[in-house]
Amino acid sequence: MAAAERGWCLCELLRFFYSLLLPGLFVFGTLCVCLLIVLWSLRLLLQRKKKSASSSKTGKNQTVIAFFHPYCNAGGGGERVLWCALRALQKKYPEALYVVYTGDANVNGQQILEGAFRRFNIRLTRPVKFVFLRKRYLVEDSLYPHFTLLGQSLGSIFLGWEALMQCVPDVYIDSMGYAFTLPLFKYLGGCRVGSYVHYPTISTDMLSVVKNQNVGFNNAAFITRNPFLSKVKLIYYYLFAFMYGLVGSCSDIVMVNSSWTLNHILSLWKVGNCTNIVYPPCDVQTFLDLPLHEEKATSEHLLVSIGQFRPEKNHPLQIRAFAKLLNKKESESLPPLKLVLIGGCRNQDDELRVNQLRRLAEDLGVQEDVEFKINIPFDELKNYLSEATIGLHTMWNEHFGIGIVECMAAGMIVLAHNSGGPKLDIVVPHHGERTGFLAESEEAYAETMAHILSMSAEQRLQIRNSARASVSRFSDQEFEETFLLSVERLFQKCHTCTN
């Protein structure tokens, strides 16, 4: 009897759910139709804005080419790519209208252009319209102490929407890695979209760090110690990687800056038919013009680091390795040494990071031998590079490393991390000759620096010459040629922007 009652209850429950099926499908279908109508209405609205924006004073339609670069006034390698890309396009398509979406609301457009000239020696030949965004805080990592990747990516959608509502371009290029803006501009804005990827938002290396429960700057110790939290984070990473692959595949053309980035993007985005390596532009000729200084046995040796003060650059490793080197100096009779950390600060978080590095130097007792140079002019940067002996770089899986190339072109002996772009593309033999050194741990960095300093001036000169001869493939001219060839597909329908 009880079994019969249970069977009857189950049947009634099934009938109840079945009775809700058709109404549920109807409601779901209605919501989908309403959503499509809203999206289509938005697309029509944006198309009208696009026609209005592309009309020039002469009455002719201009092609509007926009770059999404919320931190365009920063002084890093990504910003150099932006200005060189703009310069290349302006030479080929002088009639187009150029737009940069930026969140640098504390400066004006002229100050941004003057900063690009001061830091990178780049001056544009045509005007640029800057669209200033007020919601850049939505992509700040400090806003998302947890689920940072997801938070920043969702924030970039809102930031992209703000940009799209102010100016609808014909061609949209994300030059800073905000892939979640691509579907927005492609499907709502009706733009042809391209990407220049410096560093994948998520990579298989990041997945392996979490999977193997290794501590890192993006994998806290309390997670690595808890198997359950590690599994939850791994699932979160896999789901995010899937979404990242979907939005990235919307891109009509994809440019990556190194072999390491290429491997990850091909794995995640799966758009190999429109993906190319475009090495970032390095002002190698300016540094190659610097004469190689003659070393003096009694002179002080400068060790120089170039890179923005971001956590992944791992400046603490440089200071700790330098402290170990100074301990070796007493026993190995090394010459006087000084470490100079040169980089850009984008915001208060970066400034706080520099203060923490200063305290680390004090704790290790090397503050008198460590200097910080923040946002220095280009001429001052050249002076340091021309005088330094060793160029230091410690980022794990650096996507490329423009600073490394500049150090090699200036005649420094590079010591970089044994991973990523430096390992695969830059610090590689040239005609069978050594061009630099690679290391991983503090001890390995200290030992390698000691080895370099113990070499004879003639041995160091041979490495410096080989390194200089190897960097021509990273010149501005090479970048312009490969960049223009890669983006050509975006302009095939642009009759108004051809010469």
Side-chain angles (χ1 to χ4, degrees):
M1 191 69 164
E5 288 180 356
R6 284 197 298 270
W8 181 83
C9 289
L10 181 60
C11 289
E12 288 297 315
L13 188 61
L14 290 174
R15 288 193 190 97
F16 173 73
F17 283 118
Y18 181 74
S19 67
L20 294 178
L21 178 62
L22 289 179
L25 289 175
F26 177 77
V27 171
F28 177 74
T30 303
L31 290 175
C32 288
V33 171
C34 291
L35 179 61
L36 288 174
I37 292 174
V38 170
L39 293 176
W40 186 254
S41 300
L42 288 173
R43 180 180 169 89
L44 291 177
L45 172 66
L46 292 171
Q47 292 305 304
R48 285 196 293 269
K49 288 175 69 72
K50 178 191 288 189
K51 289 181 181 179
S52 174
S54 61
S55 298
S56 66
K57 294 180 180 178
T58 61
K60 296 181 180 179
N61 287 334
Q62 287 181 292
T63 298
V64 180
I65 304 170
F67 284 81
F68 190 76
H69 208 105
Y71 293 91
C72 75
N73 199 40
E79 287 67 57
R80 194 171 206 286
V81 169
L82 168 68
W83 302 120
C84 284
L86 276 166
R87 183 174 62 183
L89 287 172
Q90 287 184 343
K91 288 178 183 177
K92 186 168 184 179
Y93 307 113
E95 300 303 319
L97 175 64
Y98 293 90
V99 173
V100 174
Y101 301 113
T102 178
D104 295 299
N106 59 327
V107 291
N108 59 43
Q110 186 58 38
Q111 289 172 320
I112 292 175
L113 294 174
E114 289 173 357
F117 177 71
R118 185 176 66 254
R119 293 168 183 162
F120 307 118
N121 199 30
I122 296 173
R123 195 178 291 281
L124 300 181
T125 58
R126 306 287 298 175
V128 174
K129 176 185 176 182
F130 291 93
V131 174
F132 293 94
L133 308 175
R134 297 181 179 276
K135 295 183 174 61
R136 191 177 71 177
Y137 65 89
L138 293 175
V139 297
E140 296 278 355
D141 55 0
S142 58
L143 189 63
Y144 311 100
H146 306 291
F147 299 99
T148 308
L149 295 180
L150 181 61
Q152 287 182 292
S153 298
L154 293 177
S156 72
I157 297 175
F158 289 99
L159 190 63
W161 176 252
E162 182 188 357
L164 191 58
M165 289 303 292
Q166 293 193 57
C167 177
V168 185
D170 296 287
V171 175
Y172 170 81
I173 299 176
D174 166 40
S175 54
M176 206 174 170
Y178 293 107
F180 281 74
T181 63
L182 296 172
L184 193 66
F185 279 82
K186 182 170 186 175
Y187 298 117
L188 285 184
C191 313
R192 291 180 293 282
V193 300
S195 305
Y196 189 95
V197 184
H198 299 274
Y199 195 86
T201 303
I202 191 168
S203 66
T204 53
D205 289 326
M206 292 170 65
L207 292 171
S208 66
V209 166
V210 178
K211 189 174 183 179
N212 297 328
Q213 295 181 252
N214 297 328
V215 177
F217 77 90
N218 60 353
N219 195 36
F222 77 90
I223 292 179
T224 63
R225 290 193 296 264
N226 190 311
F228 174 75
L229 291 179
S230 292
K231 286 182 173 59
V232 170
K233 185 169 184 176
L234 186 61
I235 293 171
Y236 157 59
Y237 267 20
Y238 273 117
L239 290 174
F240 183 83
F242 174 74
M243 291 189 294
Y244 181 62
L246 283 181
V247 297
S249 65
C250 295
S251 192
D252 296 309
I253 62 104
V254 181
M255 295 165 283
V256 297
N257 66 343
S258 68
S259 302
W260 181 86
T261 307
L262 174 68
N263 294 334
H264 288 285
I265 290 299
L266 289 179
S267 173
L268 293 164
W269 291 15
K270 301 183 182 358
V271 284
N273 60 321
C274 61
T275 304
N276 301 293
I277 295 179
V278 179
Y279 288 127
C282 308
D283 193 9
V284 295
Q285 193 56 52
T286 298
F287 294 103
L288 288 172
D289 290 340
L290 296 173
L292 291 180
H293 64 276
E294 295 184 5
E295 297 183 20
K296 298 178 182 179
T298 57
S299 64
E300 178 183 64
H301 282 274
L302 286 182
L303 290 74
V304 170
S305 163
I306 306 175
Q308 287 183 322
F309 289 100
R310 305 201 306 263
E312 62 270 22
K313 295 297 183 180
N314 203 0
H315 289 94
L317 173 58
Q318 298 176 9
I319 297 175
R320 293 192 185 100
F322 181 68
K324 287 182 180 291
L325 176 65
L326 291 182
N327 291 332
K328 293 176 179 290
K329 184 168 78 78
E330 303 300 328
S331 59
E332 299 183 16
S333 301
L334 295 173
L337 306 173
K338 182 174 286 293
L339 173 63
V340 182
L341 284 77
I342 303 173
C345 282
R346 304 163 298 171
N347 48 40
Q348 289 184 344
D349 288 341
D350 288 353
E351 293 171 3
L352 176 62
R353 203 165 287 118
V354 171
N355 291 333
Q356 291 172 341
L357 292 171
R358 293 184 196 273
R359 286 196 294 271
L360 175 62
E362 292 175 3
D363 293 341
L364 296 173
V366 297
Q367 67 272 19
E368 298 298 325
D369 301 303
V370 177
E371 289 186 12
F372 294 85
K373 297 295 178 178
I374 315 299
N375 298 329
I376 63 174
F378 186 73
D379 288 339
E380 188 176 353
L381 172 67
K382 284 198 302 182
N383 289 336
Y384 275 107
L385 266 59
S386 66
E387 297 173 1
T389 303
I390 296 176
L392 204 55
H393 197 274
T394 48
M395 178 176 170
W396 172 70
N397 273 340
E398 168 72 90
H399 37 96
F400 180 73
I402 289 180
I404 299 173
V405 175
E406 292 174 343
C407 289
M408 293 168 70
M412 300 162 64
I413 296 182
V414 162
L415 173 55
H417 199 279
N418 189 26
S419 62
K423 178 182 180 179
L424 297 175
D425 295 308
I426 303 176
V427 190
V428 295
H430 179 69
H431 298 314
E433 297 293 331
R434 178 183 286 277
T435 59
F437 295 84
L438 299 169
E440 294 184 36
S441 65
E442 292 176 22
E443 189 63 36
Y445 268 94
E447 289 178 357
T448 307
M449 285 188 284
H451 170 68
I452 294 170
L453 294 169
S454 66
M455 297 169 67
S456 67
E458 291 76 17
Q459 289 174 314
R460 285 197 289 266
L461 181 61
Q462 184 176 356
I463 296 174
R464 295 160 74 194
N465 284 326
S466 296
R468 277 191 146 193
S470 72
V471 299
S472 60
R473 57 208 167 103
F474 305 126
S475 67
D476 286 359
Q477 293 74 21
E478 285 290 326
F479 169 81
E480 288 190 8
E481 291 177 11
T482 53
F483 175 80
L484 291 174
L485 188 63
S486 296
V487 301
E488 190 174 10
R489 181 186 301 186
L490 297 177
F491 299 92
Q492 287 176 349
K493 299 180 182 178
C494 299
H495 303 295
T496 59
C497 62
T498 54
N499 291 324

